Amino acid sequence: MANERMNLMNMAKLSIKGLIESALNLGRTLDSDYAPLQQFFVVMEHCLKHGLKAKKTFLGQNKSFWGPLELVEKLVPEAAEITASVKDLPGLKTPVGRGRAWLRLALMQKKLSEYMKALINKKELLSEFYEPNALMMEEEGAIIAGLLVGLNVIDANFCMKGEDLDSQVGVIDFSMYLKDGNSSKGSEGDGQITAILDQKNYVEELNRHLNATVNNLQAKVDALEKSNTKLTEELAVANNRIITLQEEMERVKEESSYILESNRKGPKPDRTSEGQALSEARKHLKEETQLRLDVEKELEIQISMRQEMELAMKMLEKDVCEKQDALVSLRQQLDDLRALKHELAFKLQSSDLGVKQKSELNSRLEEKTNQMAATIKQLEQRLRQAERGRQSAELDNRLFKQDFGDKINSLQLEVEALTRQRNHLELELKQERERRLQNSRSIPGKGSQKPEPKMDGKHKIQEENVKLNKPLEESHRCLLIKLQSHPMDQQDQPLSSEKPPKYCQLCQEDCSLTKNVCRNCRGTFCNICSTNELPLPSSIKPERVCNPCHEHLMKQYSTSPS
């Protein structure tokens, strides 16, 4: 029984859903020849017959669902009209035919769900007709009654007089409910579009229904106009008849008055004949007066009917105007829905394009972020390496300061002492040259006789100068190498308080007028020995350096990668 109830409920769901969809797609009033509607009535008949108790009669046991449907008249007073019309149909002879006719009339009245709910709620009354496990006694019956509410959007029209409902065979055709799985999946994928189309179909169906009602009202208006014209004609005929009756009454009155006067004036033996004529005239007068009263009543009835017809015409015209306004508003709503559908489709396309562009942009940004992360890692590694190199350089600088600080000071002092000695010897050499020049000018004849001693003295002075220059150059080179390996230490040390020498440290020429200080070794040089400029670690701009520092720095820059 439980399996049967479940199967019947599923079949009811399928039949109701298929009927609503096909009716909305069809877009017209359904009749008795419509196949989905016939299958719906067959399924409802099976649902009502499930678990039905058999009644014993003289002809045997009989199962009919007409008995429960008759109870609806007691529960819902509006169903009395359907029950009475079913009982009055001449072609129905069996209870099954009456039950089928009742279902069709309830569907036409759009109150089938209301009647079924009222019947299912009174289970104490249904227990007389159904078993305890029947579909109408369980929850499945309430579910089917709730599903029947959707049939209120369907318009149906049945002709019961010529249809044979007694001999129909109720067999469910399952081929109508078999569908392809791919189509169901595709329909589920288009949920939003189907919802919009359902709304559109509903509005169109409502529009058609309103058009049908407007046409019906127009036909009624035409019929009322025709009946109104007929009533006006009948009223004119009644007025003419009333006028003729009034003329006859006046004529009868005149005749009666004339007869009375003649009776008064004439002889008495003719009183019996005159009395008979008078009685006949009185009867005729009474008949005429009664006829006049009837005509007046009929006239009043016709006038009241005419007023009612005019009022009904005005109400119908008002209703037609309202229906037309509603029809115009529904058409506007339909146009708005179409425009909204186009806007939604356009927005959907634009949003899809935006999503694609954003996804591409996100992928590009992710690639860039990955590249940036890799470069940041590389830069961090380089930074760590540079930090380690800086720390090692600072450590070497400290160690060098600790080891060679005193030696550098002593070498500087020796260099200063040697430069002083050299300057002193150069002064003596110049004085000796000037003295000899003066002697040679004062004694011109002696110059050719004694050239060898002069040359010997000159050679001696040059040899002494070379001997003094060799240790000076060696100490200068050592100092340059040490200072070039640690230029920052030399810059940190303060310059000697003594004044720079006046002679170039390379060519030994007097550079008091054009002396230049090398920014790397802090030595004094002439223009020829300090023509180059190079950027130093202590300054961004190129600074003047001597030729030995230039060569050494160029070698150092060419070997170092940075």
Side-chain angles (χ1 to χ4, degrees):
M1 295 288 284
N3 292 329
E4 289 177 359
R5 289 199 305 269
M6 185 61 65
N7 293 331
L8 285 172
M9 185 182 70
N10 292 329
M11 285 305 302
K13 287 181 180 178
L14 289 173
S15 63
I16 292 169
K17 183 179 179 182
L19 179 59
I20 292 171
E21 290 179 356
S22 60
L24 292 177
N25 293 327
L26 188 62
R28 62 179 178 83
T29 304
L30 305 181
D31 53 6
S32 59
D33 295 332
Y34 193 57
L37 191 59
Q38 292 177 357
Q39 288 298 312
F40 166 72
F41 286 126
V42 171
V43 173
M44 286 301 299
E45 184 176 344
H46 280 277
C47 292
L48 291 171
K49 283 183 178 180
H50 183 264
L52 193 65
K53 291 181 180 180
K55 288 186 178 181
K56 292 182 180 181
T57 60
F58 293 103
L59 300 175
Q61 293 183 354
N62 184 17
K63 287 185 178 181
S64 176
F65 58 91
W66 170 242
L69 296 179
E70 281 185 311
L71 296 175
V72 181
E73 182 181 2
K74 300 177 181 178
L75 301 175
V76 182
E78 296 176 358
E81 183 180 355
I82 298 175
T83 307
S85 60
V86 168
K87 291 179 181 179
D88 293 338
L89 287 173
L92 301 177
K93 299 177 181 180
T94 60
V96 177
R98 295 189 184 94
R100 291 170 179 171
W102 190 92
L103 288 175
R104 284 160 174 76
L105 292 175
L107 183 63
M108 288 174 62
Q109 201 177 8
K110 295 184 179 181
K111 291 186 178 180
L112 182 58
S113 62
E114 182 181 353
Y115 296 156
M116 294 301 291
K117 285 180 181 179
L119 186 61
I120 289 169
N121 290 331
K122 298 294 182 179
K123 292 183 180 180
E124 63 274 7
L125 298 176
L126 290 176
S127 61
E128 298 178 1
F129 299 95
Y130 289 100
E131 298 290 339
N133 295 326
L135 186 139
M136 297 294 289
M137 301 292 290
E138 297 293 335
E139 293 181 356
E140 287 82 356
I143 294 171
I144 293 172
L147 293 173
L148 293 174
V149 178
L151 298 177
N152 293 335
V153 298
I154 296 174
D155 294 328
N157 189 9
F158 305 106
C159 183
M160 300 295 180
K161 292 182 180 180
E163 191 172 1
D164 187 9
L165 299 176
D166 294 328
S167 61
Q168 288 183 0
V169 180
V171 179
I172 300 174
D173 186 8
F174 293 97
S175 62
M176 297 179 62
Y177 309 108
L178 297 176
K179 292 184 179 179
D180 190 8
N182 296 324
S183 63
S184 62
K185 291 180 182 178
S187 62
E188 289 176 0
D190 300 334
Q192 295 180 352
I193 297 173
T194 53
I196 294 172
L197 290 175
D198 289 339
Q199 292 179 359
K200 177 187 173 184
N201 292 329
Y202 175 72
V203 172
E204 289 179 352
E205 181 63 25
L206 189 59
N207 190 6
R208 293 189 190 96
H209 179 66
L210 289 173
N211 285 328
T213 53
V214 167
N215 293 327
N216 293 330
L217 290 173
Q218 190 67 34
K220 289 181 181 179
V221 168
D222 295 335
L224 289 173
E225 287 179 353
K226 290 179 181 178
S227 62
N228 191 11
T229 53
K230 289 180 180 179
L231 289 173
T232 51
E233 291 175 357
E234 291 178 357
L235 183 61
V237 171
N239 289 326
N240 294 328
R241 190 174 179 184
I242 288 167
I243 292 168
T244 55
L245 289 173
Q246 287 177 356
E247 290 177 353
E248 288 179 357
M249 284 180 67
E250 290 177 355
R251 184 172 56 81
V252 169
K253 284 180 181 180
E254 289 176 357
E255 289 178 355
S256 61
S257 61
Y258 177 74
I259 291 168
L260 288 173
E261 290 178 356
S262 63
N263 289 329
R264 289 175 186 175
K265 294 178 180 180
K268 293 182 179 179
D270 296 332
R271 286 184 179 178
T272 56
S273 59
E274 291 176 358
Q276 291 176 357
L278 184 61
S279 61
E280 289 176 358
R282 286 177 180 175
K283 288 179 182 179
H284 187 66
L285 181 62
K286 286 179 181 180
E287 291 176 357
E288 292 294 334
T289 53
Q290 187 66 34
L291 182 62
R292 181 182 178 183
L293 292 173
D294 294 337
V295 170
E296 288 179 353
K297 287 180 181 179
E298 187 177 357
L299 181 61
E300 290 176 356
I301 291 168
Q302 294 292 333
I303 291 169
S304 62
M305 287 177 66
R306 182 179 179 181
Q307 291 177 355
E308 289 177 358
M309 292 294 290
E310 289 177 354
L311 182 61
M313 286 286 293
K314 290 180 181 179
M315 294 294 290
L316 284 173
E317 289 177 356
K318 185 177 180 182
D319 194 8
V320 168
C321 294
E322 290 177 356
K323 295 292 184 182
Q324 288 178 353
D325 295 336
L327 186 61
V328 171
S329 63
L330 285 172
R331 286 176 180 172
Q332 290 178 358
Q333 290 178 4
L334 183 59
D335 295 335
D336 295 337
L337 283 173
R338 289 175 180 170
L340 182 61
K341 179 183 174 182
H342 291 301
E343 289 178 0
L344 288 173
F346 180 72
K347 287 181 180 178
L348 182 62
Q349 292 177 357
S350 61
S351 63
D352 290 336
L353 292 174
V355 167
K356 289 180 182 178
Q357 292 176 359
K358 288 181 180 179
S359 61
E360 292 176 357
L361 184 61
N362 288 329
S363 61
R364 292 176 185 174
L365 289 174
E366 286 178 357
E367 291 178 357
K368 288 183 180 179
T369 51
N370 294 328
Q371 293 176 0
M372 292 291 290
T375 53
I376 286 168
K377 288 181 180 178
Q378 292 177 1
L379 289 173
E380 287 178 352
Q381 291 178 358
R382 290 182 183 177
L383 181 62
R384 290 171 186 171
Q385 292 176 0
E387 190 68 24
R388 290 172 187 172
R390 188 180 65 79
Q391 292 177 359
S392 62
E394 288 180 355
L395 182 61
D396 294 338
N397 190 7
R398 290 174 187 173
L399 294 174
F400 181 78
K401 283 183 179 180
Q402 291 177 3
D403 294 338
F404 298 99
D406 298 332
K407 292 181 181 180
I408 291 169
N409 293 327
S410 61
L411 287 171
Q412 284 181 355
L413 293 174
E414 290 178 1
V415 168
E416 289 176 358
L418 289 172
T419 51
R420 288 172 190 159
Q421 188 177 1
R422 182 180 174 183
N423 293 329
H424 181 67
L425 290 173
E426 286 177 354
L427 289 172
E428 289 180 355
L429 181 61
K430 284 182 179 181
Q431 290 175 2
E432 185 66 25
R433 285 177 182 174
E434 290 176 358
R435 186 173 59 76
R436 287 187 180 184
L437 287 172
Q438 289 177 3
N439 291 329
S440 62
R441 288 174 184 174
S442 60
I443 307 173
K446 296 179 181 180
S448 60
Q449 294 177 1
K450 299 179 180 178
E452 294 179 357
K454 291 180 182 178
M455 293 299 291
D456 294 334
K458 185 176 181 180
H459 285 299
K460 289 179 181 179
I461 291 169
Q462 288 179 356
E463 288 176 356
E464 290 178 358
N465 193 6
V466 169
K467 290 179 181 179
L468 289 172
N469 284 330
K470 284 181 180 180
L472 182 62
E473 288 178 358
E474 290 178 357
S475 63
H476 183 66
R477 287 174 183 172
C478 293
L479 182 61
L480 282 174
I481 292 168
K482 292 177 181 178
L483 292 175
Q484 286 170 1
S485 61
H486 300 281
M488 295 299 293
D489 297 338
Q490 187 177 2
Q491 288 179 7
D492 294 337
Q493 294 175 359
L495 296 174
S496 61
S497 61
E498 296 181 1
K499 294 181 180 180
K502 296 181 181 179
Y503 299 97
C504 179
Q505 294 182 3
L506 289 179
C507 62
Q508 301 299 326
E509 292 292 334
D510 188 7
C511 59
S512 59
L513 296 176
T514 60
K515 61 181 179 181
N516 297 315
V517 178
C518 178
R519 298 298 180 183
N520 190 32
C521 63
R522 302 296 179 181
T524 304
F525 302 95
C526 63
N527 286 331
I528 298 171
C529 297
S530 61
T531 57
N532 299 308
E533 291 183 355
L534 281 177
L536 299 176
S538 61
S539 63
I540 300 173
K541 296 180 180 180
E543 300 288 346
R544 185 183 291 274
V545 294
C546 61
N547 294 334
C549 292
H550 180 263
E551 294 176 358
H552 181 73
L553 289 173
M554 288 299 291
K555 290 179 181 180
Q556 186 177 0
Y557 290 163
S558 62
T559 56
S560 62
S562 60

PDB file of all heavy atoms in Angstrom, residues 224 227-228 231-232 302-317:
ATOM      1  N   LEU A 224     -27.416  41.988 -24.988  1.00  0.00           N
ATOM      2  CA  LEU A 224     -28.237  42.901 -24.191  1.00  0.00           C
ATOM      3  C   LEU A 224     -28.789  44.032 -25.048  1.00  0.00           C
ATOM      4  O   LEU A 224     -29.931  44.477 -24.846  1.00  0.00           O
ATOM      5  CB  LEU A 224     -27.417  43.460 -23.026  1.00  0.00           C
ATOM      6  CG  LEU A 224     -27.097  42.458 -21.899  1.00  0.00           C
ATOM      7  CD1 LEU A 224     -26.134  43.087 -20.910  1.00  0.00           C
ATOM      8  CD2 LEU A 224     -28.382  42.062 -21.174  1.00  0.00           C
ATOM      9  N   SER A 227     -31.632  42.519 -26.951  1.00  0.00           N
ATOM     10  CA  SER A 227     -32.805  42.359 -26.067  1.00  0.00           C
ATOM     11  C   SER A 227     -33.408  43.707 -25.702  1.00  0.00           C
ATOM     12  O   SER A 227     -34.631  43.855 -25.557  1.00  0.00           O
ATOM     13  CB  SER A 227     -32.397  41.592 -24.812  1.00  0.00           C
ATOM     14  OG  SER A 227     -31.425  42.326 -24.103  1.00  0.00           O
ATOM     15  N   ASN A 228     -32.532  44.730 -25.570  1.00  0.00           N
ATOM     16  CA  ASN A 228     -33.025  46.071 -25.253  1.00  0.00           C
ATOM     17  C   ASN A 228     -33.879  46.616 -26.389  1.00  0.00           C
ATOM     18  O   ASN A 228     -34.946  47.215 -26.169  1.00  0.00           O
ATOM     19  CB  ASN A 228     -31.835  46.983 -24.976  1.00  0.00           C
ATOM     20  CG  ASN A 228     -32.268  48.309 -24.394  1.00  0.00           C
ATOM     21  OD1 ASN A 228     -33.433  48.476 -23.999  1.00  0.00           O
ATOM     22  ND2 ASN A 228     -31.357  49.263 -24.337  1.00  0.00           N
ATOM     23  N   LEU A 231     -37.114  44.828 -26.272  1.00  0.00           N
ATOM     24  CA  LEU A 231     -37.959  45.339 -25.182  1.00  0.00           C
ATOM     25  C   LEU A 231     -38.539  46.698 -25.515  1.00  0.00           C
ATOM     26  O   LEU A 231     -39.679  47.004 -25.160  1.00  0.00           O
ATOM     27  CB  LEU A 231     -37.138  45.401 -23.889  1.00  0.00           C
ATOM     28  CG  LEU A 231     -36.787  44.044 -23.249  1.00  0.00           C
ATOM     29  CD1 LEU A 231     -35.841  44.244 -22.074  1.00  0.00           C
ATOM     30  CD2 LEU A 231     -38.061  43.350 -22.763  1.00  0.00           C
ATOM     31  N   THR A 232     -37.753  47.536 -26.173  1.00  0.00           N
ATOM     32  CA  THR A 232     -38.290  48.854 -26.569  1.00  0.00           C
ATOM     33  C   THR A 232     -39.448  48.691 -27.565  1.00  0.00           C
ATOM     34  O   THR A 232     -40.456  49.398 -27.492  1.00  0.00           O
ATOM     35  CB  THR A 232     -37.178  49.706 -27.179  1.00  0.00           C
ATOM     36  OG1 THR A 232     -36.508  48.957 -28.202  1.00  0.00           O
ATOM     37  CG2 THR A 232     -36.148  50.111 -26.123  1.00  0.00           C
ATOM     38  N   GLN A 302     -41.502  46.040 -17.437  1.00  0.00           N
ATOM     39  CA  GLN A 302     -40.636  46.297 -18.577  1.00  0.00           C
ATOM     40  C   GLN A 302     -39.756  47.513 -18.336  1.00  0.00           C
ATOM     41  O   GLN A 302     -38.563  47.527 -18.686  1.00  0.00           O
ATOM     42  CB  GLN A 302     -41.489  46.497 -19.843  1.00  0.00           C
ATOM     43  CG  GLN A 302     -42.242  45.267 -20.310  1.00  0.00           C
ATOM     44  CD  GLN A 302     -41.296  44.193 -20.814  1.00  0.00           C
ATOM     45  OE1 GLN A 302     -40.191  44.487 -21.273  1.00  0.00           O
ATOM     46  NE2 GLN A 302     -41.731  42.951 -20.704  1.00  0.00           N
ATOM     47  N   ILE A 303     -40.323  48.556 -17.708  1.00  0.00           N
ATOM     48  CA  ILE A 303     -39.528  49.769 -17.414  1.00  0.00           C
ATOM     49  C   ILE A 303     -38.408  49.441 -16.429  1.00  0.00           C
ATOM     50  O   ILE A 303     -37.258  49.879 -16.582  1.00  0.00           O
ATOM     51  CB  ILE A 303     -40.454  50.876 -16.879  1.00  0.00           C
ATOM     52  CG1 ILE A 303     -41.379  51.376 -18.007  1.00  0.00           C
ATOM     53  CG2 ILE A 303     -39.635  52.017 -16.311  1.00  0.00           C
ATOM     54  CD1 ILE A 303     -42.497  52.274 -17.529  1.00  0.00           C
ATOM     55  N   SER A 304     -38.773  48.666 -15.368  1.00  0.00           N
ATOM     56  CA  SER A 304     -37.734  48.296 -14.386  1.00  0.00           C
ATOM     57  C   SER A 304     -36.665  47.427 -15.031  1.00  0.00           C
ATOM     58  O   SER A 304     -35.463  47.598 -14.767  1.00  0.00           O
ATOM     59  CB  SER A 304     -38.379  47.561 -13.216  1.00  0.00           C
ATOM     60  OG  SER A 304     -38.985  46.349 -13.648  1.00  0.00           O
ATOM     61  N   MET A 305     -37.111  46.492 -15.913  1.00  0.00           N
ATOM     62  CA  MET A 305     -36.122  45.665 -16.610  1.00  0.00           C
ATOM     63  C   MET A 305     -35.241  46.508 -17.519  1.00  0.00           C
ATOM     64  O   MET A 305     -34.030  46.285 -17.628  1.00  0.00           O
ATOM     65  CB  MET A 305     -36.836  44.593 -17.430  1.00  0.00           C
ATOM     66  CG  MET A 305     -37.453  43.475 -16.586  1.00  0.00           C
ATOM     67  SD  MET A 305     -38.347  42.282 -17.590  1.00  0.00           S
ATOM     68  CE  MET A 305     -36.998  41.589 -18.515  1.00  0.00           C
ATOM     69  N   ARG A 306     -35.870  47.503 -18.145  1.00  0.00           N
ATOM     70  CA  ARG A 306     -35.063  48.384 -19.001  1.00  0.00           C
ATOM     71  C   ARG A 306     -34.045  49.156 -18.173  1.00  0.00           C
ATOM     72  O   ARG A 306     -32.880  49.301 -18.579  1.00  0.00           O
ATOM     73  CB  ARG A 306     -35.989  49.340 -19.743  1.00  0.00           C
ATOM     74  CG  ARG A 306     -35.250  50.260 -20.707  1.00  0.00           C
ATOM     75  CD  ARG A 306     -36.209  51.155 -21.431  1.00  0.00           C
ATOM     76  NE  ARG A 306     -35.498  52.042 -22.337  1.00  0.00           N
ATOM     77  CZ  ARG A 306     -36.068  52.955 -23.095  1.00  0.00           C
ATOM     78  NH1 ARG A 306     -37.401  53.098 -23.045  1.00  0.00           N
ATOM     79  NH2 ARG A 306     -35.359  53.720 -23.900  1.00  0.00           N
ATOM     80  N   GLN A 307     -34.451  49.648 -17.009  1.00  0.00           N
ATOM     81  CA  GLN A 307     -33.504  50.351 -16.146  1.00  0.00           C
ATOM     82  C   GLN A 307     -32.384  49.422 -15.691  1.00  0.00           C
ATOM     83  O   GLN A 307     -31.207  49.806 -15.657  1.00  0.00           O
ATOM     84  CB  GLN A 307     -34.255  50.930 -14.941  1.00  0.00           C
ATOM     85  CG  GLN A 307     -35.204  52.077 -15.294  1.00  0.00           C
ATOM     86  CD  GLN A 307     -35.981  52.567 -14.097  1.00  0.00           C
ATOM     87  OE1 GLN A 307     -35.873  51.985 -13.014  1.00  0.00           O
ATOM     88  NE2 GLN A 307     -36.777  53.611 -14.289  1.00  0.00           N
ATOM     89  N   GLU A 308     -32.786  48.197 -15.330  1.00  0.00           N
ATOM     90  CA  GLU A 308     -31.762  47.242 -14.923  1.00  0.00           C
ATOM     91  C   GLU A 308     -30.811  46.929 -16.076  1.00  0.00           C
ATOM     92  O   GLU A 308     -29.591  46.793 -15.877  1.00  0.00           O
ATOM     93  CB  GLU A 308     -32.424  45.958 -14.423  1.00  0.00           C
ATOM     94  CG  GLU A 308     -33.135  46.108 -13.083  1.00  0.00           C
ATOM     95  CD  GLU A 308     -33.845  44.832 -12.666  1.00  0.00           C
ATOM     96  OE1 GLU A 308     -33.802  43.859 -13.459  1.00  0.00           O
ATOM     97  OE2 GLU A 308     -34.419  44.806 -11.561  1.00  0.00           O
ATOM     98  N   MET A 309     -31.359  46.806 -17.258  1.00  0.00           N
ATOM     99  CA  MET A 309     -30.519  46.556 -18.411  1.00  0.00           C
ATOM    100  C   MET A 309     -29.573  47.719 -18.676  1.00  0.00           C
ATOM    101  O   MET A 309     -28.401  47.521 -19.004  1.00  0.00           O
ATOM    102  CB  MET A 309     -31.393  46.302 -19.640  1.00  0.00           C
ATOM    103  CG  MET A 309     -32.190  45.013 -19.591  1.00  0.00           C
ATOM    104  SD  MET A 309     -31.135  43.573 -19.623  1.00  0.00           S
ATOM    105  CE  MET A 309     -30.531  43.656 -21.278  1.00  0.00           C
ATOM    106  N   GLU A 310     -30.072  48.944 -18.527  1.00  0.00           N
ATOM    107  CA  GLU A 310     -29.201  50.107 -18.716  1.00  0.00           C
ATOM    108  C   GLU A 310     -28.094  50.130 -17.665  1.00  0.00           C
ATOM    109  O   GLU A 310     -26.926  50.406 -17.967  1.00  0.00           O
ATOM    110  CB  GLU A 310     -30.034  51.389 -18.649  1.00  0.00           C
ATOM    111  CG  GLU A 310     -30.944  51.580 -19.859  1.00  0.00           C
ATOM    112  CD  GLU A 310     -31.800  52.830 -19.720  1.00  0.00           C
ATOM    113  OE1 GLU A 310     -31.748  53.456 -18.635  1.00  0.00           O
ATOM    114  OE2 GLU A 310     -32.508  53.179 -20.688  1.00  0.00           O
ATOM    115  N   LEU A 311     -28.471  49.816 -16.407  1.00  0.00           N
ATOM    116  CA  LEU A 311     -27.457  49.759 -15.352  1.00  0.00           C
ATOM    117  C   LEU A 311     -26.426  48.654 -15.628  1.00  0.00           C
ATOM    118  O   LEU A 311     -25.207  48.860 -15.455  1.00  0.00           O
ATOM    119  CB  LEU A 311     -28.144  49.528 -13.999  1.00  0.00           C
ATOM    120  CG  LEU A 311     -27.224  49.492 -12.766  1.00  0.00           C
ATOM    121  CD1 LEU A 311     -26.495  50.822 -12.601  1.00  0.00           C
ATOM    122  CD2 LEU A 311     -28.044  49.176 -11.509  1.00  0.00           C
ATOM    123  N   ALA A 312     -26.953  47.507 -16.083  1.00  0.00           N
ATOM    124  CA  ALA A 312     -26.038  46.413 -16.401  1.00  0.00           C
ATOM    125  C   ALA A 312     -25.129  46.794 -17.573  1.00  0.00           C
ATOM    126  O   ALA A 312     -23.939  46.441 -17.598  1.00  0.00           O
ATOM    127  CB  ALA A 312     -26.827  45.150 -16.742  1.00  0.00           C
ATOM    128  N   MET A 313     -25.685  47.516 -18.537  1.00  0.00           N
ATOM    129  CA  MET A 313     -24.872  47.975 -19.654  1.00  0.00           C
ATOM    130  C   MET A 313     -23.756  48.905 -19.191  1.00  0.00           C
ATOM    131  O   MET A 313     -22.605  48.806 -19.628  1.00  0.00           O
ATOM    132  CB  MET A 313     -25.762  48.694 -20.673  1.00  0.00           C
ATOM    133  CG  MET A 313     -26.634  47.766 -21.496  1.00  0.00           C
ATOM    134  SD  MET A 313     -25.687  46.887 -22.728  1.00  0.00           S
ATOM    135  CE  MET A 313     -25.228  48.223 -23.797  1.00  0.00           C
ATOM    136  N   LYS A 314     -24.133  49.819 -18.290  1.00  0.00           N
ATOM    137  CA  LYS A 314     -23.109  50.737 -17.766  1.00  0.00           C
ATOM    138  C   LYS A 314     -22.036  49.968 -17.004  1.00  0.00           C
ATOM    139  O   LYS A 314     -20.827  50.244 -17.139  1.00  0.00           O
ATOM    140  CB  LYS A 314     -23.765  51.769 -16.854  1.00  0.00           C
ATOM    141  CG  LYS A 314     -24.629  52.759 -17.602  1.00  0.00           C
ATOM    142  CD  LYS A 314     -25.260  53.754 -16.641  1.00  0.00           C
ATOM    143  CE  LYS A 314     -26.164  54.751 -17.386  1.00  0.00           C
ATOM    144  NZ  LYS A 314     -26.808  55.699 -16.449  1.00  0.00           N
ATOM    145  N   MET A 315     -22.459  49.006 -16.180  1.00  0.00           N
ATOM    146  CA  MET A 315     -21.489  48.202 -15.430  1.00  0.00           C
ATOM    147  C   MET A 315     -20.587  47.395 -16.383  1.00  0.00           C
ATOM    148  O   MET A 315     -19.372  47.280 -16.163  1.00  0.00           O
ATOM    149  CB  MET A 315     -22.224  47.252 -14.486  1.00  0.00           C
ATOM    150  CG  MET A 315     -23.000  47.953 -13.375  1.00  0.00           C
ATOM    151  SD  MET A 315     -21.914  48.813 -12.211  1.00  0.00           S
ATOM    152  CE  MET A 315     -21.147  47.418 -11.409  1.00  0.00           C
ATOM    153  N   LEU A 316     -21.218  46.856 -17.421  1.00  0.00           N
ATOM    154  CA  LEU A 316     -20.419  46.108 -18.386  1.00  0.00           C
ATOM    155  C   LEU A 316     -19.437  47.002 -19.127  1.00  0.00           C
ATOM    156  O   LEU A 316     -18.284  46.615 -19.365  1.00  0.00           O
ATOM    157  CB  LEU A 316     -21.350  45.415 -19.383  1.00  0.00           C
ATOM    158  CG  LEU A 316     -22.077  44.163 -18.874  1.00  0.00           C
ATOM    159  CD1 LEU A 316     -23.081  43.694 -19.901  1.00  0.00           C
ATOM    160  CD2 LEU A 316     -21.088  43.060 -18.552  1.00  0.00           C
ATOM    161  N   GLU A 317     -19.887  48.201 -19.481  1.00  0.00           N
ATOM    162  CA  GLU A 317     -18.967  49.132 -20.140  1.00  0.00           C
ATOM    163  C   GLU A 317     -17.812  49.507 -19.217  1.00  0.00           C
ATOM    164  O   GLU A 317     -16.648  49.571 -19.635  1.00  0.00           O
ATOM    165  CB  GLU A 317     -19.722  50.387 -20.570  1.00  0.00           C
ATOM    166  CG  GLU A 317     -20.673  50.146 -21.741  1.00  0.00           C
ATOM    167  CD  GLU A 317     -21.462  51.387 -22.085  1.00  0.00           C
ATOM    168  OE1 GLU A 317     -21.323  52.396 -21.355  1.00  0.00           O
ATOM    169  OE2 GLU A 317     -22.214  51.358 -23.075  1.00  0.00           O
TER     170      GLU A 317
END
